[in-house]
Amino acid sequence: MNNYDKKNIQLRQLYNINKDCNPCIFGKIEHNHKVFGEGSPLATLMFIGEAPGADEDRLKRPFVGRSGKLLDKIFHHLGFSRNDVYITNIVKCRPPNNKTPLPEEITPEAKKLLKDEISIIRPHVICTLGAVSTQLFFKHPIKMSQVRGQQIQFEASKIILLPSFHPAYALRNKDAEKDLFNDILEAHRISKIDN
Ligand code: URA
């Protein structure tokens, strides 16, 4: 079996195991759907957002609303598509009123599921989108202004973290949109370098 099929099966199994349980507290809200990651199982670049919104909940796919359209536009300008990367969220169910998940709402189960997705994909680069997903990778409190656009190598893994702004913020701020564009350009470039 080739690597694509192997990883694809592992991802399907992972999502299947988690489809009926509540890896985050928002999963207990009745009409919510689980929105798992999507993209290429062989992606060398992975994007991690916060949580699904109303459009994502309805279509059961990550980043398909306005924020996702901005990502698609940037990818298109850079000559690739969402099928070439992997896109997921920390929290797999839509929080009420699209609220930002609080640290205590990101349960150990949600973190474990994300960790398992990362272990299967084994990307070269992870581009976190916004402060919530970026903070997850740090033990101490961070400010986006200090880490955005930086390439951060964690000793324990070969994966490079490149934090950027959340596209929802970039939609309201032209400078942030330029930064997001440049960060994705750089993240994509370094994800193609063999590690
Ligand atoms: N915002 C996120 O963080 N994730 C999505 O999937 C959509 C919007």
Side-chain angles (χ1 to χ4, degrees), residues 26 29-35 51-65 92-95 98:
F26 307 118
I29 300 168
E30 250 173 53
H31 338 277
N32 274 356
H33 297 114
K34 293 255 157 24
V35 179
D55 294 317
E56 289 76 19
D57 182 47
R58 191 167 43 87
L59 297 172
K60 302 188 205 159
R61 294 180 57 206
F63 281 102
V64 288
K92 307 299 194 254
C93 285
R94 181 189 179 206
N98 288 347

Side-chain angles (χ1 to χ4, degrees), residues 35 49-53 56 61-65 67-68 87-89 129 166 168:
V35 179
E50 238 170 57
E56 289 76 19
R61 294 180 57 206
F63 281 102
V64 288
S67 293
I87 306 179
T88 193
N89 284 302
L129 300 168
H166 195 284

Side-chain angles (χ1 to χ4, degrees), residues 12-135:
R12 295 306 118 217
Q13 281 171 343
L14 178 67
Y15 295 150
N16 212 22
I17 294 166
N18 283 280
K19 78 176 180 344
D20 296 323
C21 71
N22 296 310
C24 59
I25 58 168
F26 307 118
K28 297 188 175 70
I29 300 168
E30 250 173 53
H31 338 277
N32 274 356
H33 297 114
K34 293 255 157 24
V35 179
F36 293 120
E38 70 171 31
S40 168
L42 295 178
T44 52
L45 173 56
M46 181 168 186
F47 290 90
I48 304 177
E50 238 170 57
D55 294 317
E56 289 76 19
D57 182 47
R58 191 167 43 87
L59 297 172
K60 302 188 205 159
R61 294 180 57 206
F63 281 102
V64 288
R66 288 188 69 222
S67 293
K69 300 262 177 310
L70 177 60
L71 287 183
D72 286 338
K73 188 175 99 178
I74 295 175
F75 297 165
H76 180 74
H77 272 286
L78 296 174
F80 60 94
S81 82
R82 63 166 63 213
N83 298 330
D84 302 310
V85 296
Y86 202 81
I87 306 179
T88 193
N89 284 302
I90 313 176
V91 167
K92 307 299 194 254
C93 285
R94 181 189 179 206
N97 305 318
N98 288 347
K99 79 189 224 22
T100 302
L102 297 169
E104 60 271 26
E105 291 169 333
I106 305 169
T107 58
E109 290 81 1
K111 288 182 193 165
K112 163 94 173 49
L113 175 49
L114 180 65
K115 204 170 161 214
D116 289 344
E117 287 176 292
I118 296 172
S119 313
I120 294 169
I121 306 281
R122 271 191 278 113
H124 296 173
V125 180
I126 291 177
C127 183
T128 44
L129 300 168
V132 178
S133 60
T134 303
Q135 183 62 67

